[in-house]
Amino acid sequence: MEKREPFFWLTISCGGIILAFIVLPLFDMMTTPSLSMLKETLNDRDVVRSIWLSMYTAAAAALISFVLGTPLAYLLARTHFRGKRWVESIIDLPIVIPHPVVGIAILSVAGKNHWLGQVLSDLGVQIMGSVTGIITVLTFVGLPFYINTVKAGFEGISPRLEKVSRSLGASMSRTVFRIAFPLTRRSMTIGLIMCMARAISEFGAVVIVAYHPMIAPVMIYERFESYGLKYSQPVAVWLVMVCLCLFLLLRILTLRKAREA
Amino acid sequence: MIRVENLNLRLLDFRLKDIHLTVEENEFFALMGPTGAGKTVLLEAIAGLIPVRSGRVWVDNSDVTGLPPEKRGVGIVYQDHALFPHQTVLQNILYGLHFQREPKSESERRRDRLIDLLRLSHLLNRFPTHLSGGEKQRVALARALMAGPKVLLLDEPLSALDPNFREEVRDSLKDLHHSSDTTFLMVTHDFADALFLAQRAALIHEGRIEQSGETMELFRRPNSLFAAEFVGMKNIFPATFHGTTARVGELAIEMGTAPKGSMRYLSVRPEDVVISREPTSRNGATIFQGEIKRVVDHGFYLSVSIKTGGLVFQSVMPKNAFLDADPKNWTAVYVQVRPSTLHAF
């Protein structure tokens, strides 16, 4: 039998530890609540409402990221300008900033003491304690995931395809819609899923901006604080199920792309 | 027709400097130069894909300098084909029609002619990933010509192809040029391609046009040391000129006519250096006795270095030129150079 090098056993050991680290707590949490408890939780209208709220606010954040982020991702992938690195760093900021800080930062500009908050208030837009506030926060934290994924997608397309399209009579906008967008469709889908998954899992920033209406992570926190682990687990299980479905979709798409490549 | 006047542009660290170039109507023109010389940049500037800093670009007597690429009537075909991977061959070919207003019958006639000329009828429903290099390049040509450009720019269209496809696409290019009223400007590294396809050519070096003229003239009569080395003049010697005689080292070489102006170098192509075992001079050729120093076997031909009068001449000859004789075994030989093949610059 072939003798394995020590490095092989090191990779196996590290891999095993990491997998156990991820799977064990999740598996334990998923299997602890009984089926009757899970069913009962699903009959709780507040739970369903919070999961639904999580879903659609995350979807709204992904949609906003798609509309605003796609042109920016294209610009960053196709142009070189002074300060581009700065712009890219700014886009990555929501990833590195502690989540409660994001909530405080958004509140500080959305409050009535700030001119922007005043303008929003005059327009009838309320951020604090509203669905709009939740969507704002989720967009803030999800945008970098969408933009970075789609930017990488645009960078993967040879600029020559677009140059040829222009030489064949297509304007820049027609070229983008006929060539760049169709070829980035998969990256956009993956970006949307990444953005949405990230948004669904957000807690720290939302809890500051909008404790109510309650999204699922806030409800899990509230149940844990008020009733303990046992009552928070079933809600967590349902939320994890939703997240798993999203990531499963992401993996299927990514694997299919790798196979095609 | 393409006319480039005093064109200057800057792209990161690279600059095109004072480019003047004229390609006549319906002409096939070759642009040659080493890697990084600015050939592709110049093509893209003509196509409007790179903004120019100063200068003008004219296409068919219209100043297109300020026009976007889609309004210039300039098609471009890249070395890597740049076919749209999400579209079939037919969709690729017809892409340009989405943005044109012309009678359907007219475009259908052109489509059928191009598909026929480029032998694409069996490929129309395939996607680019399922095509060979030669097929891809033929599709790229059909797509560019389908849009009816006044000018077609070809960026090394043959260099990514293997030898069999290369000849096939080269023939297709010649046919296309003959059968269309489009002006072709082709970037190439390959001398054979330039000689086969182009009536005239220009040599570009470090962002400047070094020389332009008849293609054969460029190979026979380079006007600078760079041009001479680039076009494969293997025999370039510093020389002094006295009337019709060039003095190179210990040799006095008869040139037939006295060179005009002050020249510094004498050159002769290796194909024009004839080796013989007998001192028989033909066509007034100067003849020297020499000694073979090195023979390199290139498969179908030999390159031979002959030392004479303190100089080393390079010659090439077909491998079977001497039938049963092997030049590797020769020591004393005669080198002949005809006056008409000598070039001073």
Side-chain angles (χ1 to χ4, degrees):
Chain A
M1 201 174 118
E2 188 192 346
K3 193 170 179 279
R4 301 281 190 185
E5 297 240 1
F7 184 74
F8 172 78
W9 296 115
L10 180 72
T11 56
I12 295 290
S13 309
C14 290
I17 290 168
I18 287 170
L19 287 178
F21 179 64
I22 294 168
V23 171
L24 198 64
L26 286 174
F27 181 77
D28 191 68
M29 184 197 71
M30 299 289 280
T31 51
T32 302
S34 64
L35 277 175
S36 61
M37 273 187 83
L38 285 172
K39 203 174 166 188
E40 193 184 322
T41 307
L42 206 58
N43 286 330
D44 183 339
R45 292 177 69 180
D46 285 344
V47 171
V48 175
R49 199 180 296 130
S50 71
I51 291 177
W52 172 239
L53 182 64
S54 273
M55 292 288 284
Y56 92 75
T57 49
L63 192 69
I64 293 169
S65 300
F66 169 75
V67 173
L68 297 179
T70 307
L72 178 60
Y74 182 79
L75 182 81
L76 291 172
R78 280 288 177 265
T79 53
H80 298 278
F81 55 88
R82 199 184 292 250
K84 183 178 164 183
R85 287 276 165 89
W86 282 98
V87 174
E88 287 171 338
S89 303
I90 289 168
I91 288 164
D92 286 340
L93 270 181
I95 298 172
V96 293
I97 291 178
H99 298 183
V101 176
V102 172
I104 289 166
I106 288 175
L107 273 190
S108 62
V109 292
K112 287 188 179 170
N113 293 331
H114 194 275
W115 66 267
L116 184 60
Q118 193 62 52
V119 171
L120 289 171
S121 176
D122 292 346
L123 291 169
V125 178
Q126 194 191 336
I127 298 292
M128 182 82 177
S130 70
V131 172
T132 313
I134 296 171
I135 294 172
T136 308
V137 170
L138 300 188
T139 306
F140 191 94
V141 297
L143 256 174
F145 292 88
Y146 179 78
I147 292 175
N148 289 336
T149 309
V150 177
K151 180 175 149 250
F154 282 128
E155 283 169 345
I157 306 169
S158 167
R160 286 187 170 180
L161 297 183
E162 293 166 49
K163 288 179 177 178
V164 166
S165 168
R166 299 290 304 275
S167 76
L168 292 169
S171 62
M172 190 179 175
S173 54
R174 281 175 152 183
T175 294
V176 168
F177 280 102
R178 282 181 176 271
I179 304 298
F181 281 7
L183 291 174
T184 331
R185 202 163 44 203
R186 199 178 296 277
S187 295
M188 286 180 188
T189 312
I190 292 169
L192 283 171
I193 292 169
M194 295 268 285
C195 176
M196 202 173 155
R198 172 66 189 85
I200 285 177
S201 64
E202 180 54 35
F203 167 76
V206 177
V207 83
I208 286 177
V209 173
Y211 196 92
H212 287 284
M214 242 180 230
I215 58 164
V218 177
M219 170 156 280
I220 293 165
Y221 175 73
E222 201 224 17
R223 293 267 163 116
F224 174 71
E225 281 284 289
S226 309
Y227 309 108
L229 195 63
K230 193 180 170 190
Y231 286 92
S232 64
Q233 273 176 333
V235 189
V237 168
W238 283 114
L239 185 62
V240 167
M241 299 273 267
V242 170
C243 289
L244 278 179
C245 286
L246 272 173
F247 274 105
L248 199 64
L249 195 63
L250 171 72
R251 292 306 298 165
I252 290 168
L253 282 170
T254 319
L255 285 174
R256 197 185 295 165
K257 186 183 180 185
R259 267 202 302 274
E260 281 172 10
Chain B
M1 188 272 282
I2 308 168
R3 198 164 80 240
V4 178
E5 289 174 356
N6 199 27
L7 185 133
N8 287 276
L9 71 77
R10 191 177 191 148
L11 201 66
L12 299 175
D13 291 337
F14 180 78
R15 290 176 68 190
L16 277 186
K17 291 159 261 180
D18 304 323
I19 299 287
H20 287 270
L21 185 74
T22 302
V23 182
E24 300 298 341
E25 194 153 352
N26 295 347
E27 188 179 19
F28 202 124
F29 194 96
L31 189 61
M32 296 187 290
T35 305
K39 306 181 294 290
T40 303
V41 174
L42 178 54
L43 287 200
E44 292 192 341
I46 292 169
L49 299 164
I50 298 176
V52 299
R53 180 178 267 195
S54 65
R56 320 281 331 152
V57 178
W58 299 72
V59 172
D60 271 10
N61 294 318
S62 303
D63 185 351
V64 299
T65 318
L67 294 181
E70 63 270 22
K71 300 215 185 300
R72 293 195 176 203
V74 176
I76 189 161
V77 173
Y78 286 106
Q79 173 189 357
D80 59 3
H81 330 297
L83 296 179
F84 306 135
H86 58 304
Q87 297 185 352
T88 62
V89 166
L90 186 62
Q91 287 169 331
N92 264 280
I93 293 172
L94 301 182
Y95 184 83
L97 293 185
H98 294 295
F99 320 108
Q100 286 182 350
R101 285 185 196 148
E102 69 171 337
K104 204 175 170 189
S105 57
E106 183 78 19
S107 58
E108 280 177 352
R109 199 164 48 242
R110 191 160 68 248
R111 178 196 66 191
D112 293 343
R113 193 178 63 82
L114 283 168
I115 288 171
D116 184 46
L117 197 65
L118 289 161
R119 301 183 304 285
L120 296 171
S121 53
H122 61 296
L123 305 172
L124 297 176
N125 294 319
R126 287 199 204 165
F127 281 90
T129 43
H130 299 115
L131 301 177
S132 69
E135 288 167 344
K136 282 180 186 168
Q137 199 57 285
R138 290 191 338 245
V139 175
L141 284 167
R143 179 180 62 180
L145 288 168
M146 192 63 210
K150 298 167 195 157
V151 161
L152 184 60
L153 308 176
L154 304 155
D155 187 9
E156 298 189 43
L158 306 168
S159 61
L161 306 177
D162 60 45
N164 296 334
F165 292 133
R166 192 187 180 91
E167 211 161 301
E168 180 187 316
V169 177
R170 195 164 70 175
D171 292 342
S172 300
L173 269 175
K174 193 146 194 156
D175 292 345
L176 279 174
H177 180 245
H178 280 307
S179 62
S180 71
D181 52 1
T182 308
T183 306
F184 282 43
L185 171 57
M186 177 181 75
V187 160
T188 182
H189 272 116
D190 192 287
F191 302 155
D193 291 344
L195 285 165
F196 180 76
L197 291 165
Q199 293 103 41
R200 291 194 311 133
L203 191 57
I204 187 168
H205 178 48
E206 292 179 347
R208 285 182 195 280
I209 298 282
E210 191 88 9
Q211 187 177 351
S212 65
E214 299 284 325
T215 313
M216 188 50 95
E217 199 68 359
L218 218 66
F219 285 93
R220 292 240 168 257
R221 313 231 164 260
N223 62 9
S224 67
L225 191 58
F226 163 77
E229 284 172 349
F230 183 81
V231 299
M233 280 274 186
K234 299 279 184 199
N235 303 295
I236 307 167
F237 308 111
T240 53
F241 299 91
H242 310 279
T244 62
T245 306
R247 188 155 283 283
V248 184
E250 299 163 15
L251 303 176
I253 302 175
E254 180 55 37
M255 297 189 67
T257 52
K260 290 171 190 161
S262 62
M263 304 294 177
R264 292 168 57 204
Y265 294 96
L266 181 74
S267 63
V268 59
R269 295 196 66 81
E271 301 85 8
D272 295 326
V273 175
V274 179
I275 306 171
S276 65
R277 299 195 73 180
E278 304 299 330
T280 320
S281 171
R282 280 185 225 137
N283 301 325
T286 308
I287 190 159
F288 316 103
Q289 189 171 17
E291 182 189 346
I292 288 185
K293 299 303 288 180
R294 192 159 173 251
V295 178
V296 180
D297 191 336
H298 290 276
F300 291 114
Y301 69 95
L302 302 172
S303 77
V304 186
S305 307
I306 313 111
K307 192 171 180 191
T308 175
L311 304 175
V312 176
F313 278 86
Q314 302 288 335
S315 172
V316 288
M317 56 170 136
K319 222 169 162 181
N320 59 357
F322 294 92
L323 296 175
D324 54 342
D326 185 354
K328 285 177 190 162
N329 301 327
W330 298 353
T331 46
V333 290
Y334 292 90
V335 174
Q336 297 183 36
V337 282
R338 276 179 302 154
S340 60
T341 61
L342 292 166
H343 172 58
F345 60 93

